[in-house]
Amino acid sequence: MMAADTTAVVQKAQKTHHTTKVCSAALGRLLTAATFMGHLLKGKDDSVTLRINGGGPAGSVIAVGYSNGNVKGYIQNGDTELPLNKKGKLDVGGAVGKDGFLTVMKDFGFGEPYVGQVPIVSGEIAEDITGYYATSEQTPTVCALGVLVNPDKSIAVAGGFLIQLLPTAEDDMIDKVEKCLENIEPVTTMLAKGMTPEKICRTVLDGIELEVLGEYDTEYKCDCSKERVEKALLTSGKEALEEMANDPITELTCHFCNKKYRFTPDDIRRLIE
Ligand code: ZN
């Protein structure tokens, strides 16, 4: 089991993208999933990209997780506002939509990346992550993700947990875990009470003996650089670059951190060569 307090991560994402409440919840939930899935990767430079595109008004939501636990993310239409759903909650499923796929791309720094794609279950994100693990990785998984947003759009708390059963888990253990999950509070309630991730693990799996295997920090951090932007520019083809060389200045903005990169016609001509 893994649990995380991603409040600072989602606060930074909200400030970077100026997201509305429902969009902060959608992006924050996906970022929280990405910190778990990134950390589960083995190699130092491995990363996982989660993209959920359900045809809803918020558009695509993307989160990238790295094996060191850091994440970055982006939501296409972060200014989307929706009324609360029937349960009185932020309507993440409505913003994301259900008509599409959750795509998981694992990049191991060499060779072809692993790509898994599953149909969206609800667009509420946690159920979609569970669906991905069940279908693509045949791993029984329980996932809870939550973001509590203040009336002024700032983030009160955010976090989640992920429980995965080993293929060797005995029925008796599966029953115990299921029993534990029957009466748990929402993860945002636990975080708002000041519970640490370890306390959340011990509260959720009450009665099951737990050993702490490790702790790690998670931060919203973009790894863009002029070199990376140049590489991306090169994929747009010679013709597009030649057109750019006619502009007095070409300015590109990183989707994840809003950093601006400027290219002069000389820069562009150097790339063409
Ligand atoms: Zn960036």
Side-chain angles (χ1 to χ4, degrees):
M1 171 171 189
M2 301 168 85
D5 178 340
T6 54
T7 306
V9 167
V10 184
Q11 278 170 345
K12 175 129 184 222
Q14 199 279 329
K15 281 193 185 136
T16 303
H17 300 299
H18 306 288
T19 40
T20 60
K21 289 184 193 179
V22 70
C23 288
S24 298
L27 181 58
R29 288 182 195 175
L30 200 66
L31 285 167
T32 304
T35 189
F36 295 137
M37 294 173 75
H39 189 71
L40 286 168
L41 299 168
K42 302 278 179 291
K44 190 169 75 72
D45 300 319
D46 294 357
S47 65
V48 60
T49 302
L50 310 177
R51 174 194 290 265
I52 189 161
N53 188 344
S60 291
V61 192
I62 295 159
V64 184
Y66 297 89
S67 57
N68 66 2
N70 287 343
V71 289
K72 64 179 182 181
Y74 165 70
I75 182 162
Q76 207 177 357
N77 306 318
D79 55 356
T80 302
E81 298 264 24
L82 285 181
L84 297 179
N85 65 18
K86 282 182 208 137
K87 291 180 191 159
K89 307 259 192 230
L90 292 171
D91 190 4
V92 172
V96 171
K98 282 185 223 178
D99 188 18
F101 295 90
L102 166 67
T103 310
V104 175
M105 188 182 84
K106 292 181 185 173
D107 190 334
F108 305 106
F110 60 88
E112 287 286 301
Y114 159 90
V115 181
Q117 195 175 57
V118 290
I120 292 173
V121 179
S122 66
E124 294 281 337
I125 317 269
E127 282 173 298
D128 303 302
I129 298 291
T130 305
Y132 162 75
Y133 275 114
T135 308
S136 282
E137 301 200 9
Q138 286 82 43
T139 310
T141 302
V142 181
C143 181
L145 304 166
V147 177
L148 189 64
V149 189
N150 292 318
D152 68 356
K153 294 188 195 171
S154 64
I155 307 302
V157 290
F161 64 77
L162 189 78
I163 301 172
Q164 294 197 306
L165 289 163
L166 296 171
T168 52
E170 294 181 5
D171 287 350
D172 166 50
M173 182 52 96
I174 297 171
D175 290 345
K176 264 192 188 171
V177 171
E178 280 180 349
K179 198 124 198 85
C180 286
L181 295 168
E182 278 170 13
N183 295 310
I184 57 163
E185 293 177 302
V187 69
T188 45
T189 306
M190 293 191 263
L191 287 163
K193 283 179 180 173
M195 285 190 194
T196 61
E198 183 183 342
K199 177 81 179 150
I200 291 173
C201 290
R202 294 194 187 283
T203 304
V204 172
L205 295 182
D206 189 25
I208 298 176
E209 206 175 306
L210 297 180
E211 183 192 346
V212 178
L213 295 175
E215 286 183 32
Y216 66 95
D217 290 325
T218 175
E219 201 184 322
Y220 187 100
K221 206 170 179 180
C222 189
D223 54 354
C224 65
S225 64
K226 189 147 188 178
E227 290 73 47
R228 283 187 182 222
V229 177
E230 282 178 356
K231 266 192 196 161
L233 263 180
L234 283 173
T235 63
S236 53
K238 197 173 177 187
E239 222 170 282
L241 286 172
E242 274 167 355
E243 228 166 86
M244 279 177 217
N246 294 326
D247 294 329
I249 202 93
T250 301
E251 191 175 78
L252 295 163
T253 306
C254 172
H255 277 327
F256 295 102
C257 69
N258 296 333
K259 191 168 171 183
K260 289 186 168 38
Y261 291 92
R262 298 165 74 97
F263 294 88
T264 63
D266 279 347
D267 291 333
I268 302 286
R269 268 180 232 115
R270 184 170 49 81
L271 285 176
I272 293 171
E273 279 161 29

